[in-house]
Amino acid sequence: MTGLDSAQDVVVIGGGVTGAGLARDLALRGVSVLLLEGGDWAAGTSGASSWMIHGGPRYLEYDWDTTRQSCEDAGHIVRIARHLIHRCVFLLPVLPGDKLGIERLETAMEVYDRFQPLKDSHPHVRLSGAEARLLEPGLSPRVVAAVTMEEWGVDPHRLAWANVLDAVRAGARALNHSRVEALLRDGATVIGVRYRSADGQRVEARAKAVVNAAGPWAPEVAAMAAAAVSLRPAKGVHIVYDRRLSNFAISAEAVDGREVVLVPHGPITLLGTTDDDYYGDLEALEVLPDEVDYLVQAAERTFPDIRRHRPARATAGVRPTLFQWRPNEDRLSRRFEVFDHEKSDGVPGLFTIAGGKLSMYRLMAEVTADAVCSRLGIEAGCATAERPLPGAGGLAQQPHELAADHGISALAAARLLKRHGSEASEVLEDDRRGRLVCRCEALTEAELAYSARREQVRTLADAFRRVGLAAGPCAGTACVDRAAQVIGEQLGWNQSQRRDACREYLVGAWRCRAPVLDRWGWAQEELAYGARRGWPGGH
Ligand SMILES: Cc1cc2nc3c(=O)[nH]c(=O)nc-3n(C[C@H](O)[C@H](O)[C@H](O)COP(=O)(O)OP(=O)(O)OC[C@H]3O[C@@H](n4cnc5c(N)ncnc54)[C@H](O)[C@@H]3O)c2cc1C
């Protein structure tokens, strides 16, 4: 049986950073919005990105507008998401025989410096090889010079969630684990969607306009109304290390001359990315051993110790790049486009936002909301450039103050502040359990319970994204049972549901880890598996 939902002005399909940003923008203009995400917030491309809010200096050569727009919008994002972002200082080392020598590299940086003030970043500094190694002792002795470059880092899962939360506070409804299965039509016109809700019900929701913000899935969603969106999807892989490997982010030239980067983000490090045309199934993205080798080989050239570090997992995502014939993947424009399918396909009521970057999601949302509002005759303007996201307004406490007030460790307080900013103490006022869920990740039981109660966490994988559950070295082996108990108490799981939740999480985590295991890694897997089976209640 199909249920009937209330009608709204706009349904947004897709809860990556673009759809979340769009729902927020529309809701703040007073538009009634339903945001539907088939999986979890930012579990698609957004979560699998390099976590950078940047301008992309390499686009300067062939995609100047993207660099400028990214820098401008990054400036807004940095201001509205202050607690979620961190400065990322890059070292761009030069080795003998590199594509660019130090003079050409520095000239390029001088041009990029002109954009840096737009996002509150500093100009570059030129370093000798010795100076660079003093700052970053792990650099290869072959490095002859380097320049610095400043960008910003962000956890895209929290960024997307903050947008969802603000949309909800402004009156939107937002449902994760709710996949759109069909677009409702009246003749050619799209008049709503049919989705399967988190509890398995089929529900119809009517709307004056439907916006397809499904990232790489956008062509599939548009096809539900016989409309067309042409993408040139490109797969990108990262290796994730469960610790900081370097003081700075470091760039390296891969064997094919492309650039890869090793970037510390808080307690973890990302090494990526590959960039390859992808024609496969979006639901069956796999990380291949060749892709892992390609990245490690590139990083090793500037950071020789990389092979001594044990990767924790790998991620894969697909860039929703607009279609272009001919350029190699890394030369494709990152521009974005809003499709009004009434104009392009004779399908009124349907819009698609495609292309672009995380670094300009807010601008993409603004331009899309302008198009939708103009069609619906709504005049309210955009408020997202100035209004802080939840947690970014008001004064946040210092970690030691929060720790003392609530009897938790300073590290746990720092992590809590990073995720919740000025709203951190509310998490602990709700629930005073300061005990850590895991010995390798400073996550309190109170925050985990809060994420299930107030942040739409429905699975252990949702908790990984929302609050970093099992992001540390144990990868869940030591903490999923306790986590399932804490979350299960909030969501009313029985014993068997808790066991199923653990099994599902561990299998998923293993799939992300398997591509990066060497023979010692496999031996450890065996040990962990055996230990788990041996535990009382192990499975
Ligand atoms: C490897 C890699 C690294 C990158 N690094 C950066 C970076 O550092 N900085 C940067 O600016 N950009 C980066 N990008 C680009 C950036 O990540 C993307 O442009 C951006 O995240 C796309 O967001 P999105 O919301 O459009 O798509 P997504 O995040 O993929 O969101 C689309 C959502 O739609 C949902 N969906 C699909 N079908 C349905 C349906 N039928 N019903 C309901 N929901 C549905 C999906 O589940 C998904 O969550 C990177 C991209 C890749 C692949």
Side-chain angles (χ1 to χ4, degrees):
M1 218 179 81
T2 305
L4 202 59
D5 215 340
S6 59
Q8 40 272 307
D9 293 328
V10 182
V11 168
V12 177
I13 305 173
V17 72
T18 310
L22 176 59
R24 173 180 190 243
D25 189 316
L26 289 167
L28 290 174
R29 295 181 199 225
V31 178
S32 62
V33 187
L34 171 62
L35 171 64
L36 296 169
E37 163 53 45
D40 187 29
W41 310 117
T45 309
S46 300
S49 70
S50 307
W51 297 27
M52 301 298 309
I53 298 292
H54 62 168
R58 75 189 165 87
Y59 309 135
L60 274 176
E61 258 183 85
Y62 54 92
D63 198 1
W64 177 281
D65 279 341
T66 296
T67 304
R68 186 184 47 77
Q69 283 184 332
S70 286
C71 286
E72 268 172 13
D73 210 38
H76 292 303
I77 299 168
V78 163
R79 280 188 292 277
I80 64 170
R82 195 147 282 286
H83 64 300
L84 294 176
I85 51 130
H86 49 268
R87 244 177 235 285
C88 257
V89 181
F90 277 76
L91 289 179
L92 313 183
V94 177
L95 274 78
D98 267 3
K99 201 168 51 171
L100 294 181
I102 184 65
E103 298 305 334
R104 285 172 69 185
L105 180 62
E106 189 172 25
T107 306
M109 276 306 120
E110 279 162 3
V111 177
Y112 193 49
D113 282 351
R114 288 203 243 153
F115 293 85
Q116 291 288 35
L118 291 172
K119 56 183 175 69
D120 195 17
S121 296
H122 298 101
H124 82 279
V125 175
R126 178 172 170 158
L127 303 167
S128 67
E131 286 167 335
R133 269 186 299 279
L134 209 58
L135 291 171
E136 191 58 72
L139 281 184
S140 160
R142 296 181 58 229
V143 169
V144 289
V147 293
T148 64
M149 175 185 72
E150 249 187 45
E151 303 285 15
W152 295 92
V154 72
D155 175 348
H157 304 110
R158 279 315 293 187
L159 181 64
W161 170 250
N163 278 274
V164 172
L165 183 60
D166 210 32
V168 170
R169 287 180 181 175
R173 285 190 306 138
L175 307 174
N176 57 353
H177 300 289
S178 298
R179 178 159 292 276
V180 170
E181 295 179 330
L183 297 177
L184 306 176
R185 316 276 300 271
D186 179 3
T189 308
V190 171
I191 55 164
V193 301
R194 191 182 68 233
Y195 66 95
R196 191 180 278 271
S197 66
D199 56 7
Q201 304 294 312
R202 286 220 159 88
V203 186
E204 287 189 357
R206 305 278 163 135
K208 295 177 192 154
V210 172
V211 186
N212 169 12
W217 289 269
E220 187 181 305
V221 170
M224 293 177 187
V229 173
S230 272
L231 297 184
R232 181 142 161 223
K235 177 182 165 194
V237 164
H238 285 92
I239 302 173
V240 185
Y241 296 84
D242 57 26
R243 61 205 66 197
R244 289 181 78 92
L245 306 187
S246 53
N247 298 322
F248 293 85
I250 301 169
S251 76
E253 190 183 311
V255 66
D256 53 5
R258 297 181 186 194
E259 186 193 42
V260 305
V261 288
L262 183 75
V263 191
H265 286 292
I268 64 163
T269 301
L270 298 184
L271 168 59
T273 168
T274 61
D275 194 348
D276 296 303
D277 282 319
Y278 185 70
Y279 297 93
D281 181 352
L282 290 172
E283 306 301 332
L285 267 184
E286 256 186 280
V287 175
L288 307 174
D290 285 1
E291 293 167 322
V292 173
D293 286 347
Y294 169 88
L295 292 174
V296 176
Q297 179 196 44
E300 189 177 29
R301 210 164 151 261
T302 44
F303 196 75
D305 268 3
I306 189 77
R307 286 192 197 274
R308 291 181 50 210
H309 297 282
R310 190 183 65 153
R313 55 189 171 272
T315 62
V318 175
R319 292 175 186 79
T321 337
L322 295 172
F323 185 81
Q324 265 181 285
W325 188 266
R326 193 166 302 120
N328 280 340
E329 299 89 328
D330 63 335
R331 291 264 155 169
L332 286 171
S333 167
R334 265 46 170 175
R335 71 183 183 86
F336 68 88
E337 191 170 334
V338 180
F339 297 82
D340 177 343
H341 291 286
E342 177 167 7
K343 291 183 190 153
S344 53
D345 304 278
V347 181
L350 181 66
F351 294 82
T352 294
I353 167 71
K357 293 170 60 60
L358 179 83
S359 308
M360 49 172 157
Y361 85 90
R362 196 215 56 83
L363 174 67
M364 293 165 67
E366 178 178 342
V367 173
T368 313
D370 284 347
V372 174
C373 286
S374 134
R375 183 51 60 91
L376 299 184
I378 296 168
E379 284 181 3
C382 175
T384 59
E386 303 301 330
R387 179 185 155 107
L389 284 162
L395 267 186
Q397 280 182 293
Q398 290 299 314
H400 67 275
E401 291 165 350
L402 188 71
D405 284 358
H406 295 277
I408 60 174
S409 73
L411 184 58
R415 296 276 161 82
L416 191 69
L417 282 161
K418 187 80 197 142
R419 288 190 273 263
H420 299 268
S422 55
E423 300 188 358
S425 59
E426 286 171 31
V427 176
L428 300 168
E429 274 151 22
D430 244 35
D431 174 339
R432 305 195 70 81
R433 279 176 294 171
R435 195 173 121 186
L436 297 185
V437 184
C438 187
R439 61 176 177 266
C440 53
E441 206 28 57
L443 167 66
T444 62
E445 291 185 359
E447 189 185 356
L448 183 60
Y450 182 90
S451 71
R453 214 166 43 248
R454 307 281 288 274
E455 298 191 326
Q456 298 193 354
V457 161
R458 294 286 164 268
T459 67
L460 296 179
D462 292 354
F464 167 80
R465 284 181 283 270
R466 211 81 79 253
V467 292
L469 171 71
C474 90
T477 318
C479 55
V480 285
D481 293 299
R482 182 72 198 130
Q485 198 176 330
V486 173
I487 294 175
E489 280 163 11
Q490 303 297 321
L491 302 183
W493 290 346
N494 60 29
Q495 275 307 330
S496 121
Q497 285 171 309
R498 290 178 196 186
R499 257 200 310 277
D500 289 349
C502 291
R503 191 176 302 116
E504 184 186 292
Y505 182 81
L506 288 172
V507 170
W510 183 83
R511 286 212 183 97
C512 297
R513 199 160 57 247
V516 295
L517 292 176
D518 59 12
R519 64 197 170 108
W520 301 115
W522 281 107
Q524 280 172 348
E525 284 294 308
E526 294 276 323
L527 185 65
Y529 180 70
R532 220 182 139 70
R533 281 179 67 98
W535 288 342
H539 31 82

